[in-house]
């Protein structure tokens, strides 16, 4: 039995696959660049809804002092609890804590949030 020598490679199926992949990449690349699929949103003539404050910034300083973000004044845990209660469960609490602050101060804030059943919490950290 004599073997036939293959002198050429059929690249047409390879080109077909590469063209399909190229079309897919180019199609998705336009969505990645803009981040959104372009949509024309409908217009409304109604008034805007009343905007409640949706974020409460709290800073724990090195010495354990609690600072309210927008007012930049020291507050107690009781005042913090009252602000969270007033804001409701939809409000987000953003916590900035000094890395050298006592852990007890952090635990106090977390205890208030747990007691109120509040789950919207962000802890801000530095990225290394």
């Amino acid at each position: 039995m004599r073997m036939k020598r293959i002198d050429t490679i059929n690249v047409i199926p390879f080109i077909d696959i590469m063209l399909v992949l190229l079309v897919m990449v180019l199609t998705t690349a336009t969505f990645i660049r803009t981040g959104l699929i372009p949509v024309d949103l409908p217009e409304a003539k109604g008034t805007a809804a009343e905007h409640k404050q949706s974020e409460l910034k709290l800073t724990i300083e090195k010495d354990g002092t609690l600072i309210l973000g927008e007012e930049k004044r020291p507050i107690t845990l009781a005042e913090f609890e009252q602000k969270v209660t007033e804001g409701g469960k939809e409000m987000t609490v953003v916590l900035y804590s000094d890395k050298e602050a006592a852990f007890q101060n952090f635990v106090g804030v977390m205890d208030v949030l747990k007691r109120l059943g509040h789950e919207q919490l962000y802890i801000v950290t530095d990225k290394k």
Side-chain angles (χ1 to χ4, degrees):
M1 176 175 198
R2 195 165 194 214
M3 302 221 24
K4 183 179 176 186
R5 184 172 174 199
I6 300 174
D7 290 336
T8 60
I9 296 175
N10 188 5
V11 293
I12 293 177
F14 177 71
I15 292 171
D16 289 343
I17 292 172
M18 292 308 292
L19 286 175
V20 169
L21 291 175
L22 180 65
V23 168
M24 292 170 67
V25 167
L26 291 177
T27 304
T28 57
T30 59
F31 295 135
I32 293 171
R33 190 192 73 212
T34 60
L36 298 171
I37 298 173
V39 174
D40 290 329
L41 297 175
E43 295 177 4
K45 294 188 183 207
T47 60
E50 182 181 323
H51 179 65
K52 284 178 63 178
Q53 180 161 347
S54 61
E55 189 173 275
L56 178 68
K57 294 180 183 174
L58 182 73
T59 305
I60 302 175
E61 292 188 334
K62 187 188 257 188
D63 62 354
T65 306
L66 299 176
I67 304 291
L68 196 59
E70 32 319 306
E71 300 171 15
K72 298 203 185 301
R73 67 172 179 90
I75 62 169
T76 63
L77 274 177
E79 290 173 315
F80 171 67
E81 185 172 353
Q82 181 182 7
K83 289 278 188 184
V84 173
T85 305
E86 290 171 3
K89 293 192 179 202
E90 304 84 32
M91 182 180 66
T92 302
V93 176
V94 181
L95 181 61
Y96 298 84
S97 181
D98 191 288
K99 66 181 177 182
E100 295 181 19
F103 188 64
Q104 181 59 42
N105 301 316
F106 177 80
V107 170
V109 171
M110 296 304 290
D111 185 44
V112 167
L113 294 173
K114 183 178 179 184
R115 199 167 353 126
L116 296 174
H118 195 83
E119 296 179 355
Q120 299 292 329
L121 171 69
Y122 290 108
I123 301 172
V124 180
T125 60
D126 277 336
K127 201 175 197 181
K128 289 275 180 182

